[in-house]
Structure formats: C-alpha cells, structure tokens
Amino acid sequence: MKRVGVLGAGAWGTSMACVLAARLDVTLWARDPAQAEALARTRRNERYLRGIEIPAAVKVTSNLDDASRAELVLAATPVSGLRDVLKKIQSCNALVWLCKGFEQGSGLLPHQIAEQTLGPGARYGALSGPSFAEEVARGLPCALTLAALDAGFAREAAALVHGGRMRVYYSADLVGVEIGGAVKNVMAIAAGISDGLGLGHNARAALITRGLAEIARLGAAMGGQSETIFGLTGAGDLILTATGDLSRNRRVGLQLAQGLSLEKILHDLGHVAEGVYTAREIAKLAKARGVDMPVTDAVNAVLEGKLAPKAAVEQLLARDPKKER
C-alpha cells in the first residue's frame, strides 16, 4: 500500500487524511504534540472538523520526519506556514500543497516558495478546485485538479489521490491553477460584502462574473492558460467560494458588511481566511504588471480600513463603463 504523509491537522489536512485512508497508508502530522495526542486518542478534530471521525487506520504523529517519509507528502498548511514546514522537511520524494494564496511580504505563489526551499530536482505541485473540507470528509462527491510544471508528475500524483468520490484531474498549468485558487478568495470576500449589504442576486452574479475576468487577466499576465481559469480551479472554485455558506472568506465579507471589525471577525472565525492576507499582495502584483483589478482593489481598501463596504460598492458602480473583457 502506498504511503502518504499529510502535514497539518487543520480542516483540510484532517479531511484528506480521512478520505485517503480508505485506500492508502496515511500518516497525519500535527505541529502541536498535545493536539496529536488528542487526535490519536479521541479520533476527533472538533476544533477544525466537527462531527467527523478520524479512521483508526490514520496514524497521527507530531514527528515531522515520520510523516514526510512517504511516496507523496501533502502539505495542508496555510500559505503563511508553508515555507517554515518545507524548510524542516529532511527528505521528500514528492510534494503537493493544498493551500491557496500569495505569501505575505514576498508576494510569492506556493510553487515559488517550493522552488526556494526544496531546491532543484524536487517534484512538487498543487491540489486545488471547488471543495469544502467538511463535505470532502463526509464523502460527498467533488472534482479537483492536481497541477505541476512536470506533466508526468501531475499525472502520477493525481492517479494516487484519485478515487472513491474524489475525482482528480491533472494539469501542467501550475501557475494558472494557483492564480485561480488565490484570487477567488478575494472575490469571495467581495461577494460576502455584496450579500451582507443586501444588494441582491443580480449584483452577486455580476460581481462573480467580473471577478472571473480579473482572475483571467492576472492569470494571462503571469502565463496561465485561459482554459484553466475557466475550469475547476478558476471558475469552479470561484463559484463555490463566493456562494457557499461554508466559505470562510465569504463569511468575512458578510461580517464586514455588518460593521464588525476585521480583528473581531478573524478572532471569532478561528480558521485562516486566505483572502484577507493575500488581497494586498494581489493588488501590488496587479499594479506592478499593469493589470486592471478594480474589485480586488476595492476589497483591499476595505480590509485596510481605507473604505467602508458601502463606499467601496459605490466606488465600483461609479467607474466609467468599458468594453467588457
């Protein structure tokens, strides 16, 4: 039986460990020894994934070396924690990350972090697509894409994790997949603000469509393929995250519209909402590359306290009409 190590015992790491344990030898790594002991003993992760039982077949450990000695390692950390974890891995045959976003400060995508930390010859990629951890853990159907610069590795890794009710496609457009996964979180905040202000379904549909146009423009500027942007990891993930009640980023937008402070929202959320941390990096990158991303700019202004949600909406509506693109 193939061995898989899952690094990170949050919602996504726990969910993937539960699903893959049906057909693979899975080790789940938790950074905190106390959390690892509790997960192993109770077979529950009530903080991040309530009501889901961790199969007895899943080995839980706080020893990173034990978890990373596997045919495939899945890094289920936030983008902010990816660099630190990768630096600590002693050896890794193949790595796939589940996080979506840009690193704060550096503005790097996950594959660029991997390039810097794993060195030449490393085999790595991203697993992305429209999926909530809770639904995946419950065994509900989903379709994902595993992308890598090396198409052969993408195909092999996708075949390994594909199975059951989790359908996994493969792609060589790693940049396009990562751009879609990062920017859709910012658009989900925007959609949450729109819904929180009671602007209606028409407004939400328009916002999602224009958000997809922004994803496409940035993706093209960075070398992504249009078919990727309009596939599972672009349009699919955007639709889910902007409309689904399980979306953390959408929830942030809803509560911003209600007048809550960002600090309180994030404290009460208890999970990472990647869009909050990546919005600034996307706005900076778009400006540097001359890419027009007005929705992203508006969300970033709200998050930074420069605009109230209502004012951000009015600013967008007041923009001069342009040819749709």
Side-chain angles (χ1 to χ4, degrees):
M1 183 180 292
K2 297 284 188 178
R3 186 179 181 192
V4 172
V6 180
L7 309 185
W12 252 119
T14 305
S15 175
M16 291 299 294
C18 291
V19 171
L20 296 179
R23 56 187 182 277
L24 298 167
D25 181 0
V26 177
T27 299
L28 174 64
W29 173 76
R31 182 189 303 272
D32 180 6
Q35 183 195 18
E37 187 279 329
L39 295 180
R41 175 172 44 83
T42 65
R43 312 310 295 183
R44 298 273 180 170
N45 190 347
E46 292 299 319
R47 178 180 178 184
Y48 295 110
L49 204 61
R50 292 182 180 178
I52 301 297
E53 183 174 351
I54 300 173
V58 175
K59 304 178 185 69
V60 184
T61 182
S62 60
N63 187 312
L64 184 58
D65 289 342
D66 285 348
S68 59
R69 283 195 292 266
E71 277 86 358
L72 181 67
V73 173
L74 299 179
T77 69
V79 174
S80 60
L82 183 62
R83 182 182 297 274
D84 182 58
V85 168
L86 297 190
K87 283 182 176 180
K88 293 177 179 177
I89 295 176
Q90 298 299 315
S91 62
C92 178
N93 295 321
L95 172 80
V96 170
W97 49 85
L98 310 180
C99 51
K100 305 170 183 178
F102 288 82
E103 186 179 43
Q104 292 183 73
S106 72
L108 298 179
L109 286 164
H111 83 270
Q112 295 169 313
I113 298 172
E115 285 177 356
Q116 291 183 353
T117 54
L118 298 180
R123 307 173 78 212
Y124 52 74
L127 183 62
S128 189
S131 51
F132 289 136
E134 179 182 322
E135 291 192 358
V136 173
R138 288 166 53 199
L140 298 178
C142 71
L144 306 173
T145 297
L146 199 151
L149 297 175
D150 179 347
F153 171 65
R155 183 174 58 251
E156 293 171 16
L160 183 60
V161 297
H162 170 87
R165 291 191 155 189
M166 188 166 69
R167 184 172 181 81
V168 183
Y169 296 84
Y170 69 91
S171 169
D173 184 15
L174 180 55
V175 172
V177 165
E178 288 190 321
I179 292 295
V183 184
K184 62 91 183 178
N185 284 327
V186 179
M187 298 306 159
I189 295 175
I193 290 174
S194 177
D195 287 346
L197 292 174
L199 301 184
H201 293 97
N202 296 341
R204 184 170 68 183
L207 186 59
I208 291 173
T209 306
R210 297 315 302 157
L212 184 60
E214 291 193 16
I215 295 173
R217 288 198 291 269
L218 184 62
M222 297 188 67
Q225 300 171 10
S226 60
E227 64 183 35
T228 302
I229 302 302
F230 292 99
L232 286 170
T233 57
D237 212 355
L238 172 63
I239 292 167
L240 177 73
T241 313
T243 63
D245 291 336
L246 292 176
S247 168
R248 302 170 194 167
N249 292 283
R250 171 178 158 77
R251 202 178 315 165
V252 169
L254 286 168
Q255 294 183 341
L256 285 170
Q258 294 165 10
L260 276 68
S261 70
L262 182 60
E263 182 180 8
K264 176 172 174 52
I265 293 169
L266 297 181
H267 177 271
D268 294 345
L269 189 63
H271 296 255
V272 174
E274 293 281 17
V276 172
Y277 306 104
T278 201
R280 178 182 298 179
E281 302 301 334
I282 295 173
K284 288 193 300 185
L285 179 63
K287 183 177 181 180
R289 290 180 173 263
V291 179
D292 186 32
M293 300 187 72
V295 177
T296 298
D297 289 337
V299 170
N300 190 49
V302 171
L303 292 173
E304 293 185 342
K306 296 177 180 178
L307 280 179
K310 287 184 179 179
V313 171
E314 293 304 321
Q315 185 180 87
L316 285 171
L317 290 173
R319 282 169 51 85
D320 290 336
K322 298 179 179 180
K323 180 180 179 181
E324 185 177 14
R325 58 186 180 88

